[in-house]
Amino acid sequence: MEQLKIVASARQIPERQVTNDELSTIMDTNDEWIYSRTGIRQRQVVTTENTSDLATQVAKKLLENADITADSLDFIIVSTMSPDTLSPSTAAIVQGAIGASNAFAFDLSAACSGLVYGLSVASSLLATRYKRGMVIGAEVLSKLVDWQDRTTAVLFGDGAAGVIVDTTSENIGLLSEELRTFGDKGDNLVAGRFANTNPFSGEIEPADQYFHQNGREVYNFATREVPAVLKVALEKAQLSADDVDYYLLHQANARIVSSIAKRFGQPADKFPTNMATNGNTSAASIGILLDELVESGQVHSGQTVAFVGFGGGLTVGAQIWKI
Ligand code: ACO
């Protein structure tokens, strides 16, 4: 049977760095608090770009890295919780910008699980009638952050990354996955609330664009549900935890990552992290990490790699890949 295969990766990070020390000049926080609780030292934020600009740069790099033309793409999925606009979708803006005239394009909203969910949808599309697609995670979370709120402002960063996927008849690519959503716990991580101001509505809930998170609940959710989905994905692939070369977890918090490594009895160096330099970039984080590791040669073909996303929704998803 034809399987989904990653043929190229790319990333785009804004240039403006904001260190913990710089943040502590605009809010009551400090590097020691942020680093010891999250593993984050700095993040990058946009100055002029929006989400579609970062995603378009990734798309152009992907075409170059894969040495393919835009008209060979059948679809473009952009996973994001911070689109430029609800319509057009960020993916449609990218499609227009790169001239992917044969591709349909749409956004997918699954917060920090966005890349994993996007790859799952891509796998179904490629299993039916399509041959090649692009899946990008792109976020400008700095526009959803209340820069007066130290409990969330220190956590997030902007960035984008993605992959080109096509099909293969070799026994590589996406081996297994387990995705779960806990909508009853969605209130623990909210951002981008609209107000219905139609002239017929009664008392309305006011608009609120900013992040609000119950950090403890999200932390407990991640350390409980990530091992659960990872275990199932490994079982479905008929692999043990030892068989995986690298675990690429969503880069929310270094303590979450090390707790999962311990739970599976795995060495910390099989769980690479980059939140120290990039912060939490939601749907972009796993793709950014993947592209960094591919670029450095640490991740290469022949290896078994797990992708694990978790966050808003609440959502969680694990995939096992043979690269
Ligand atoms: N600097 C200094 N002090 C702070 C800061 C800050 N930036 N933020 C909070 N504090 C204070 C609080 O006010 C509180 O003080 P108090 O005890 O006097 O009230 C104290 O520090 C402890 O605050 P907590 O919120 O209890 O801190 P906690 O140890 O839970 O850490 C954190 C907070 C880092 C957010 C943690 O809960 C966490 O990482 N949760 C997981 C978040 C996550 O993974 N999100 C991923 C999903 S993101 C997505 O989907 C888009």
Side-chain angles (χ1 to χ4, degrees):
M1 198 183 97
E2 295 279 299
Q3 295 208 142
L4 176 73
K5 181 192 174 192
I6 292 175
V7 295
S9 66
R11 67 184 188 278
Q12 178 73 20
I13 313 289
E15 276 175 25
R16 177 68 162 94
Q17 296 179 347
V18 180
T19 62
N20 292 348
D21 287 337
E22 186 176 356
L23 272 187
S24 68
T25 66
I26 58 171
M27 64 186 73
D28 181 17
T29 189
N30 57 77
D31 178 60
E32 201 282 320
W33 191 96
I34 302 169
Y35 186 70
S36 64
R37 282 183 173 71
T38 68
I40 296 168
R41 287 258 192 232
Q42 65 169 49
R43 70 288 297 140
Q44 275 70 235
V45 298
V46 298
T47 48
T48 54
E49 312 102 299
N50 208 336
T51 309
S52 68
D53 300 310
L54 300 181
T56 299
Q57 286 309 315
V58 169
K60 288 180 177 168
K61 289 179 185 176
L62 282 173
L63 295 177
E64 201 178 308
N65 294 353
D67 196 17
I68 59 170
T69 55
D71 60 9
S72 72
L73 291 170
D74 295 319
F75 61 84
I76 298 171
I77 301 173
V78 175
S79 297
T80 182
M81 63 176 294
S82 53
D84 296 20
T85 47
L86 292 184
S87 181
S89 68
T90 306
I93 298 172
V94 171
Q95 185 262 353
I98 64 169
S101 49
N102 297 314
F104 60 92
F106 61 96
D107 284 0
L108 186 150
S109 173
C112 308
S113 305
L115 191 77
V116 169
Y117 278 38
L119 288 167
S120 177
V121 173
S123 142
S124 299
L125 291 172
L126 292 173
T128 52
R129 74 187 95 147
Y130 302 105
K131 293 264 171 269
R132 176 179 284 165
M134 199 179 251
V135 183
I136 295 172
E139 304 284 12
V140 172
L141 300 175
S142 58
K143 68 191 173 193
L144 297 179
V145 163
D146 176 356
W147 290 93
Q148 312 292 323
D149 175 10
R150 67 178 184 172
T151 68
T152 51
V154 302
L155 303 175
F156 299 106
D158 300 336
V163 292
I164 300 272
V165 282
D166 65 21
T167 55
T168 176
S169 49
E170 297 169 68
N171 191 24
I172 59 169
L174 181 59
L175 304 182
S176 70
E177 68 176 20
E178 178 71 7
L179 313 183
R180 295 180 188 169
T181 299
F182 300 82
D184 56 327
K185 295 184 168 51
D187 284 350
N188 288 304
L189 208 171
V190 178
R193 189 193 303 281
F194 286 93
N196 187 345
T197 54
N198 87 46
F200 315 104
S201 64
E203 202 171 311
I204 57 163
E205 217 175 336
D208 182 358
Q209 81 199 63
Y210 296 133
F211 266 110
H212 300 283
Q213 140 164 284
N214 182 338
R216 277 290 156 82
E217 280 296 319
V218 177
Y219 189 98
N220 292 339
F221 165 81
T223 50
R224 186 175 61 243
E225 299 304 335
V226 166
V229 289
L230 194 47
K231 185 166 173 287
V232 174
L234 284 167
E235 281 165 7
K236 285 181 179 172
Q238 298 184 311
L239 294 173
S240 76
D242 291 346
D243 295 326
V244 175
D245 294 294
Y246 288 108
Y247 292 86
L248 308 192
L249 267 55
H250 168 51
Q251 299 290 293
N253 183 308
R255 290 190 302 173
I256 294 177
V257 175
S258 61
S259 120
I260 311 293
K262 280 198 197 102
R263 185 81 67 89
F264 284 86
Q266 296 296 301
D269 59 8
K270 284 173 88 171
F271 286 70
T273 62
N274 66 7
M275 75 283 280
T277 49
N278 294 326
N280 174 350
T281 57
S282 190
S285 80
I286 295 171
I288 294 172
L289 188 58
L290 173 71
D291 190 53
E292 287 173 351
L293 295 166
V294 168
E295 191 177 80
S296 69
Q298 215 173 321
V299 165
H300 52 76
S301 60
Q303 289 178 333
T304 303
V305 176
F307 294 173
V308 189
F310 55 89
L314 298 178
T315 55
V316 62
Q319 293 175 329
I320 310 294
W321 291 80
K322 187 95 176 166
I323 299 291

